[in-house]
Amino acid sequence: MANETPETCMFFVDDSNIWVEAQKFAASGNSRMPKLEDGDQDPRLRINIGKLVDVLRKSRNQGESFLYGSRPPPNDGVWDAFKGFNFKTKIYDRAHCGKEKEVDNSMATDLSQKATELSIRAEYEPSFQRQKASTTFIAITGDRDMLPPIQRVLEYKIPVELWAWESGISTEYLRQSHRNSLLSVHFLNTIFDKISFTKFTSTHKGKSKRVDPAQTVVLCQFVNPDWGNLESFVAEELVEECRLFYTSWSETGEEIFVEFPRVKNIGVMVNKLQRRFEGVSTVVSWPEYANRFNKHSPAVVKTSNKYALLMDDDGEYPTTRGTAKGGHQPVEPNTDLRSVVKPQGANKGSETVEEKPNDNDGFETVFRRNALQEKR
């Protein structure tokens, strides 16, 4: 019908709610990653903003949308990414005590104000009556402080879809949803695989620091350094150690530095990785690497990401693993690198590894060694 108004949704997003609880969920163990043993948050977790919006929006049009955040951390890249998806960003500096009251107040004000504006205009204009009837508010927050403004929206008979991480939601929302059919509660946990990925490499392009020798293990002298899946394979193996780590290529591109920022005894990790990568590469501590290769000071590599961005560096749909050097692809199912690496001195053209095309809408399909099912 010509006068039919399309379904529309308006977004109200509390960035810190996505940020903190997403990292906690990632560290607790999930379909892609085992539980971290050395921390309750995984700063390598990323949220693909475009996919988040698409999954929640469904087939509806996106109306006015707002993101609320605070500094620190300095997530300007995240704010810019949300702007790219037609969000108005409202960013505030934290108080000295770390509170985010301006963020809460701003989000509460917008929820109430937008609902009031839409309802008042609907009383006098037929077009706004249709607009109100076809509009849903999507609120991403679990903060109980948002309950009063959300109740105000419901009083105006505007449906609200509330999304939050199960670990970070006030139970009062669940009680309210049982009392009022206009409020529906959804858990971001259920769409985790669709909207998130883990990036093991550093993220701040153009900013460098020296690796911390006391926390670094060096993988060098790879049996087959030209094998295309090398970096993905290394990351998949390291994941099994259940420790927070970051990988970086050396300036020469011949070694991979693995930093374990939370490990207290790096010697233990050296021994474990020597067994894990036996037949694939030489694994040494930083002092041994420095002595063997005459490295008098740590090589410069990209910095580990202390304040991880919840997005891909380039604003594109990212991969479930850190972007591999030179476009490396994920390890194939039932393929063990040890079974395809060539002995030193062998003809480089003697081995062929078949790679499965990446047809996952921008997400790499990741396989664990000898796994029977795909891991996303």
Side-chain angles (χ1 to χ4, degrees), residues 155-173:
E155 289 172 2
Y156 284 121
K157 307 302 180 184
I158 298 174
V160 176
E161 295 176 6
L162 185 132
W163 287 82
W165 296 98
E166 190 171 3
S167 61
I169 188 172
S170 168
T171 56
E172 186 59 32
Y173 286 112

Side-chain angles (χ1 to χ4, degrees), residues 258-271:
V258 185
E259 293 184 79
F260 293 92
R262 297 173 181 170
V263 170
K264 295 181 179 180
N265 187 344
I266 198 65
V268 173
M269 290 307 304
V270 171
N271 293 335

Side-chain angles (χ1 to χ4, degrees), residues 91-141:
I91 312 304
Y92 304 91
D93 292 327
R94 290 178 185 265
H96 293 298
C97 60
K99 296 293 185 180
E100 293 185 307
K101 283 304 179 185
E102 281 185 287
V103 171
D104 294 345
N105 291 340
S106 181
M107 184 171 177
T109 299
D110 284 344
L111 280 164
S112 299
Q113 181 177 323
K114 293 303 176 181
T116 301
E117 289 177 357
L118 189 57
S119 298
I120 291 176
R121 299 189 72 171
E123 293 180 6
Y124 302 100
E125 300 180 43
S127 62
F128 278 93
Q129 290 177 4
R130 294 190 294 270
Q131 181 179 339
K132 178 187 174 185
S134 62
T135 297
T136 299
F137 282 18
I138 297 179
I140 302 182
T141 181

Side-chain angles (χ1 to χ4, degrees), residues 196-221:
S196 70
F197 65 106
T198 303
K199 187 162 187 176
F200 301 111
T201 55
S202 56
T203 60
H204 292 298
K205 294 181 178 180
K207 295 183 180 180
S208 297
K209 75 167 188 178
R210 297 183 183 276
V211 297
D212 181 355
Q215 303 297 136
T216 301
V217 177
V218 182
L219 276 62
C220 56
Q221 296 180 322

